[in-house]
């Protein structure tokens, strides 16, 4: 599952995230994986539904001024059975982590749930964004791999490459 923050600070990542959605749909179809992607700001907006293949890359904007992390996480967890499912499960978060205190608290709780249930977490902060808050949230939960300061044109490639590192951490829990 992939969650993409669409607050104004994430504007530069929207093209890369559109490509990521298309790639995930194709890859999920080819290997029969359950994949889903949501954008989150003042609400939650499905970008890629389970089993969906996108016929083209669709670039959306990032106009929102707030981030409802909790709603987006709940939507993906419910759709993909992240914390109560079986098999290999991974959550990718693309955000700077600049949330309200209540959303930061929920983020730490979600990351902790992922750790307790063997869900790998990969957090990506694009180069143009300030990623120290994301790093802090990961440290608080004690879970996740953070890629900070990524060039937006490299995000889709690095999601796949770095996923193996995050999934490797899950393997050490057993």
């Amino acid at each position: 599952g992939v969650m993409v923050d669409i607050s104004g600070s994430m504007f530069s990542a929207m093209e890369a995230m559109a490509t990521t959605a298309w790639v995930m749909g194709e890859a999920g179809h080819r290997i029969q994986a359950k994949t889903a992607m949501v954008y989150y700001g003042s609400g939650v907006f499905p970008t890629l539904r389970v089993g969906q293949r996108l016929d083209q890359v669709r670039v959306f904007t990032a106009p929102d001024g707030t981030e409802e992390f909790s709603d987006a996480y709940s939507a993906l967890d419910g759709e993909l059975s992240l914390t109560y499912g079986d098999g290999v499960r991974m959550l990718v978060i693309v955000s700077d982590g600049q949330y309200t205190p209540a959303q930061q608290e929920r983020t730490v709780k979600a990351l902790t749930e992922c750790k307790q249930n063997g869900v790998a977490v990969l957090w990506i902060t694009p180069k143009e964004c300030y990623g120290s808050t994301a790093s802090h949230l990961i440290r608080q939960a004690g879970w996740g791999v953070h890629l900070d300061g990524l060039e937006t044109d490299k995000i889709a490639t690095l999601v796949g490459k770095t996923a193996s590192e995050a999934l490797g951490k899950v393997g050490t829990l057993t």
Side-chain angles (χ1 to χ4, degrees):
V2 179
M3 301 171 50
V4 180
D5 173 353
I6 58 168
S7 64
S9 62
M10 299 299 294
F11 177 78
S12 65
M14 293 299 95
E15 190 171 321
M17 294 295 74
T19 302
T20 300
W22 186 87
V23 168
M24 283 184 52
E26 286 301 306
H29 174 76
R30 290 177 189 182
I31 64 169
Q32 299 175 350
K34 286 177 62 175
T35 59
M37 183 171 172
V38 297
Y39 286 172
Y40 64 104
S42 58
V44 179
F45 313 96
T47 309
L48 178 68
R49 298 177 191 275
V50 172
Q52 183 180 12
R53 291 176 75 185
L54 302 174
D55 59 348
Q56 63 182 341
V57 174
R58 292 186 181 98
V59 181
F60 295 90
T61 60
D64 285 8
T66 186
E67 304 84 7
E68 293 299 323
F69 177 93
S70 181
D71 291 345
Y73 174 74
S74 293
L76 276 181
D77 189 22
E79 187 68 22
L80 295 172
S81 306
L82 289 172
T83 57
Y84 55 88
D86 58 3
V88 177
R89 292 159 290 138
M90 182 171 185
L91 175 66
V92 178
I93 303 164
V94 182
S95 177
D96 55 11
Q98 302 293 321
Y99 308 147
T100 64
Q103 289 300 320
Q104 287 185 8
E105 184 177 311
R106 179 60 181 123
T107 301
V108 171
K109 182 179 177 193
L111 295 176
T112 302
E113 287 174 0
C114 286
K115 180 179 182 179
Q116 292 169 342
N117 292 288
V119 180
V121 174
L122 174 60
W123 192 308
I124 297 170
T125 303
K127 183 178 182 180
E128 295 79 12
C129 301
Y130 186 65
S132 67
T133 303
S135 291
H136 177 71
L137 295 169
I138 290 168
R139 280 193 306 277
Q140 277 187 285
W143 190 245
V145 173
H146 186 212
L147 299 179
D148 191 14
L150 289 186
E151 296 284 345
T152 55
D153 62 342
K154 301 199 183 333
I155 290 176
T157 303
L158 289 173
V159 165
K161 182 177 177 184
T162 311
S164 61
E165 180 183 344
L167 292 170
K169 284 191 173 194
V170 172
T172 63
L173 292 176
T174 56

